[in-house]
Amino acid sequence: MTDRMLVRLKVNGDDYEFEIEPRVNLADALRHHLGLTGTHVGCEHGVCGACTVLVDGVSARSCLMLAVQADGCEVTTIEGLAADDGTLDPLQEALSEHFGLQCGYCTPGVLMTLVELRRELNGQAIDEKTVRRKLAGNLCRCTGYQGIVDGALAALNSHP
Ligand code: FES
Ligand code: FES
């Protein structure tokens, strides 16, 4: 039997400490050990982007990262995006308004990628080509991408 290792994570502001086999990836740790099933798993080899989360503020494929590699890190998942009272993040609202999701399987990964983009932009305007380049690593089988891009542009270019 494989020895378990102790992992400490801060996920969406909450502290977790658990023992896990070193072979378990971060996506499975989030889903099966912490019950945070909003992070989806598609290809399991780094291609589809469904499992994208933020690790110390930087997007990461959680299917390619071992949970033990994230020890001591701050992880943000889709569950951490809405406010505590349930108010959706403006990116979530915009994707909904612009029909940027159908089955929703890719949506958590898309949104976490866009959260990173929003931080990188720091209030600067963005054009469609740049949004599409940023989302090139997030595959969607449903929407044809236009709704996702429209929603992203609306949210990222609105600066109340
Ligand atoms: S499940 Fe991780 S990139 Fe597809
Ligand atoms: S909304 Fe279905 S895969 Fe993107």
Side-chain angles (χ1 to χ4, degrees):
M1 184 177 154
T2 315
D3 285 341
R4 290 175 166 246
M5 295 176 69
L6 184 66
V7 174
R8 294 184 184 89
L9 295 178
K10 190 183 280 287
V11 184
N12 304 329
D14 295 327
D15 290 313
Y16 293 90
E17 185 174 311
F18 52 96
E19 291 191 348
I20 198 163
E21 290 182 21
R23 65 178 177 79
V24 178
N25 67 35
L26 179 59
D28 285 346
L30 291 168
R31 291 176 55 82
H32 303 309
H33 290 256
L34 306 187
L36 297 170
T37 54
T39 297
H40 292 163
V41 174
C43 66
E44 293 189 84
H45 63 274
V47 174
C48 73
C51 66
T52 303
V53 298
L54 302 183
V55 178
D56 288 341
V58 178
S59 63
R61 307 289 211 213
S62 61
C63 71
L64 294 184
M65 184 173 194
L66 297 172
V68 293
Q69 290 177 288
D71 183 36
C73 292
E74 288 194 25
V75 178
T76 309
T77 70
I78 188 68
E79 287 91 344
L81 209 47
D84 289 343
D85 67 0
T87 304
L88 293 179
D89 182 277
L91 283 164
Q92 291 174 301
E93 286 281 6
L95 250 63
S96 174
E97 281 171 19
H98 291 266
F99 305 102
L101 64 149
Q102 289 182 38
C103 80
Y105 204 84
C106 68
T107 309
V110 166
L111 282 165
M112 299 321 291
T113 301
L114 292 174
V115 169
E116 180 182 54
L117 177 58
R118 179 170 61 191
R119 181 179 52 74
E120 291 168 346
L121 288 170
N122 195 24
Q124 293 178 75
I126 188 167
D127 60 18
E128 178 169 345
K129 190 173 169 187
T130 310
V131 170
R132 286 185 179 274
R133 193 180 304 126
K134 181 72 177 179
L135 288 173
N138 291 87
L139 304 185
C140 175
R141 298 188 303 177
C142 300
T143 71
Y145 300 99
Q146 192 60 52
I148 297 173
V149 172
D150 289 345
L153 284 168
L156 295 171
N157 285 332
S158 96
H159 308 296

